Amino acid sequence: MNTTRSQQITGPQTEIADTDIIFECPHCAKSMAIDRRGGGLMISCPDCGTRIRVPEPEPLELAPESTVNELIASTDPHVRNLAQSLDHSREKVQQLMARLEEARKRRGALEKLRISDAGRLGKISEEIAVIQSSIDRIAGLLQDAMADHADDGSEW
Ligand SMILES: [Zn+2]
């Protein structure tokens, strides 16, 4: 095909783009391509010099909706799985935080009791040690859970 891209509007560029208007000179049938912005302009045929009005461009083709939906469908399960596992982790962390808060309150209550009943000091101290270790364990689990998501940019 002997198509020449018009240089009257686009300058030295000679590549024919997908969006170019392709048309023929009505006088000599010379095939030409012009940038779509040139639609409706008057130009001179490069071969015969006839003044030609450039036809208006076809509307630009957009990706069919079905293609976009297929793309979403293929991406969505992976995204959904990630979101679910993140939600699960958040739930777990919230549960652990609730337990931690509960354990702290219990420790506080026992410490008050210790002050008022010195006779039971030994037993209460043991109980406090058990609660403290469980707080430490929960705090450790929380740190692990947060470290798992520390590098994925999530907000907690
Ligand atoms: Zn011509």
Side-chain angles (χ1 to χ4, degrees), residues 20-94:
D20 281 355
I21 305 161
I22 313 250
F23 62 105
E24 286 181 0
C25 172
H27 182 72
C28 69
K30 165 76 180 169
S31 183
M32 286 168 276
I34 193 166
D35 187 278
R36 62 186 291 108
R37 285 169 298 186
L41 290 180
M42 295 299 294
I43 64 161
S44 295
C45 172
D47 273 15
C48 69
T50 303
R51 295 290 286 170
I52 319 161
R53 183 180 294 279
V54 178
E56 293 294 335
E58 300 278 321
L60 279 175
E61 265 184 50
L62 299 174
E65 202 175 321
S66 60
T67 307
V68 175
N69 287 339
E70 276 168 31
L71 199 66
I72 291 167
S74 66
T75 310
D76 191 46
H78 181 59
V79 172
R80 198 167 54 224
N81 286 346
L82 280 175
Q84 274 175 354
S85 79
L86 197 59
D87 280 351
H88 182 72
S89 296
R90 280 183 179 146
E91 208 175 287
K92 210 169 160 186
V93 167
Q94 277 171 357

Side-chain angles (χ1 to χ4, degrees), residues 3-29:
T3 299
T4 304
R5 196 175 202 277
S6 171
Q7 298 185 0
Q8 296 184 37
I9 290 164
T10 58
Q13 185 188 9
T14 52
E15 292 277 310
I16 296 167
D18 289 343
T19 52
D20 281 355
I21 305 161
I22 313 250
F23 62 105
E24 286 181 0
C25 172
H27 182 72
C28 69

